[in-house]
Amino acid sequence: MQIKQTAMAGTLESSDIQITLTPITKETEIYLDSSVGKQFGSQIKQVLLKTLASYQIENVRVDAVDRGALDCTIQARMQTVIQRSLDQVNQVNWEVL
């Protein structure tokens, strides 16, 4: 599935993550700026990729600025930004939740 537009979700507050999705024409790219990247960077990227896979999203650039968010927060922010980028804000995909 291809996203329709660039979208963003989240904040730069402590214990949160700000994620921006941008459509691209090549393989999915993840750029992570995290205050806990050395300890949890691979886990954060895994949550981002797993959430993209659940929506069958491909060919996107993910820019994530993490401030110590828990996995559940990362997943919730990803679901929100995906819904926004698909322009389906009021049409929740319950199957992937």
Side-chain angles (χ1 to χ4, degrees), residues 78-89:
M78 271 300 282
Q79 290 170 345
T80 301
V81 77
I82 289 169
Q83 293 289 116
R84 288 177 180 171
S85 67
L86 293 172
D87 199 24
Q88 297 178 348
V89 176

Side-chain angles (χ1 to χ4, degrees), residues 10-73:
T11 68
L12 297 176
E13 299 293 322
S14 180
S15 301
D16 202 356
I17 187 169
Q18 185 177 69
I19 302 172
T20 304
L21 283 186
T22 306
I24 59 175
T25 57
K26 51 188 174 179
E27 291 276 323
T28 296
E29 301 172 350
I30 296 181
Y31 296 94
L32 176 64
D33 176 17
S34 176
S35 59
V36 294
K38 288 188 178 185
Q39 299 94 339
F40 302 107
S42 61
Q43 174 64 23
I44 294 168
K45 289 179 181 179
Q46 183 180 1
V47 173
L48 296 172
L49 288 170
K50 182 178 176 184
T51 308
L52 285 173
S54 69
Y55 280 87
Q56 299 174 344
I57 301 291
E58 298 174 344
N59 304 331
V60 295
R61 175 184 166 127
V62 180
D63 292 291
V65 181
D66 174 58
R67 296 293 178 249
L70 298 174
D71 287 357
C72 58
T73 303

